[in-house]
């Protein structure tokens, strides 16, 4: 603060505290003329309401005095009186630094321990899971849901089903979180309405749903010519390209005829942001452990 502003603030503080303190000293002594019945003589509502006159209660005077003492004490101890730093030398920056250091002193040994564990071990460690869950709720739940069940309307995958677009090994999960993932499914409307219909029926047949045999038979050669490049020769997916398995009952965008048709006709571009810039390596490691735990737990209960 420049010295001009400092004096401005000092002036304001002195003026405000001075004026209110003068009022405080003057008010209990002030004599207000009263009538013999103890009222001031002011009358409202045709005489129904008369203005009484009472002295300030003692507790109010004591409380106000205590407040003045606290205000002056504060201005001596803490910053507030222009550039005067306060005798305690307190700043919000120093308080934050102290709190951060105290937090780190508690957390560092824990992070040191978890950093040395592999992802599978983290999934089995209660303390690591608790930390991972906190990080998941703060950074991932907005898209993946609090329980990690995903959202088919937005193409966000379920992380608890043990099925992976980009691989479920510890390294794959870590890469998904740190570098993000983008699924690129091109739109195929240019193939024509009839061909898209055939492809839809063939995809339905792959996943064991009811389908129209003639239409699916027409779609099969086109699927084998184009779609296998990313979805694998049998439609079972290719993790390196993020091409999902189309033969299971697990769908990123839904497995109804309409949803499959929309996927094929309009394409899909799911995007998982890279969180490496926002989260530390230690946090990403804990998250990978937590995601591993979610998928292992989902495997054992949901199927
Ligand atoms: C903005 C929404 C969003 C946020 C936030 C987000 N994700 Fe994702 N995540 C996605 C989408 C969408 C995909 C699928 C990408 C694709 O289509 O290939 C995905 C994919 C993944 C995958 C790969 C799944 C697989 O089947 O291979 C993992 C693992 C994952 N996310 C974990 C996380 C974790 C952990 C966090 C929090 C640190 C997180 N995500 C935050 C949207 C999000
Ligand atoms: C360039 C690679 C590529 C090609 C070629 C491709 N796909 Fe895809 N497909 C993907 C990817 C990647 C996804 C997942 C999109 C995402 O992550 O958002 C996907 C998603 C889908 C889905 C949605 C799956 C779900 O779980 O909801 C269907 C259905 C599908 N593709 C069918 C086809 C068919 C049929 C063809 C051939 C005409 C085809 N794909 C060609 C890469 C491809």
């Amino acid at each position: 603060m420049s010295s001009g502003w400092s004096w401005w603030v000092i002036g304001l503080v002195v003026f405000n505290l001075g004026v209110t303190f003068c009022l405080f000293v003057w008010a209990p002594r002030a004599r207000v003329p009263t009538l013999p019945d103890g009222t001031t003589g002011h009358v409202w509502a045709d005489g129904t309401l008369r203005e009484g006159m009472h002295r300030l209660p003692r507790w109010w005077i004591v409380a106000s005095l205590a407040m003045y003492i606290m205000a002056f004490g504060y201005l001596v101890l803490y910053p507030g009186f222009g550039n005067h730093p306060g005798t305690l030398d307190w700043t919000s920056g120093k308080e934050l630094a102290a709190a951060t250091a105290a937090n780190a002193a508690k957390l560092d040994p824990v992070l040191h321990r978890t950093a040395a564990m592999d992802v599978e071990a983290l999934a089995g460690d209660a303390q690591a899971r608790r930390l991972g869950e906190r990080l998941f709720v703060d950074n991932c739940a907005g898209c993946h849901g609090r329980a990690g069940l995903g959202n088919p309307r937005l193409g966000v995958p379920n992380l608890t089903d043990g099925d992976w677009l980009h691989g479920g090994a510890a390294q794959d999960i870590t890469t998904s979180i740190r570098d993000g993932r983008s699924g690129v499914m091109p739109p195929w409307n240019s193939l024509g309405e009839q061909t898209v219909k055939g492809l839809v029926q063939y995809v339905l047949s792959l996943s064991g749903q009811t389908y129209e045999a003639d239409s699916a038979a027409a779609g099969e050669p086109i699927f084998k010519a184009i779609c296998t490049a990313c979805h694998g020769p049998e439609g079972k997916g290719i993790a390196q390209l993020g091409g999902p398995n189309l033969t299971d009952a697990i769908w990123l965008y839904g497995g109804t005829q309409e949803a499959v048709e929309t996927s094929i006709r309009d394409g899909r571009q799911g995007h998982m942001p890279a969180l490496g810039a926002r989260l530390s390596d230690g946090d990403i490691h804990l998250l990978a452990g937590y995601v591993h735990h979610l998928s292992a737990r989902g495997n054992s209960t949901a199927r």
Side-chain angles (χ1 to χ4, degrees), residues 240-256:
Q240 288 83 350
L241 300 173
N245 184 346
L246 300 174
T247 69
D248 56 14
I250 296 172
W251 297 94
L252 192 51
Y253 295 95
T256 61

Side-chain angles (χ1 to χ4, degrees), residues 35 37 39 41-52:
L35 299 178
D37 65 358
T39 67
H42 293 163
V43 174
W44 285 282
D46 295 330
T48 320
L49 292 175
R50 290 173 304 141
E51 186 176 305

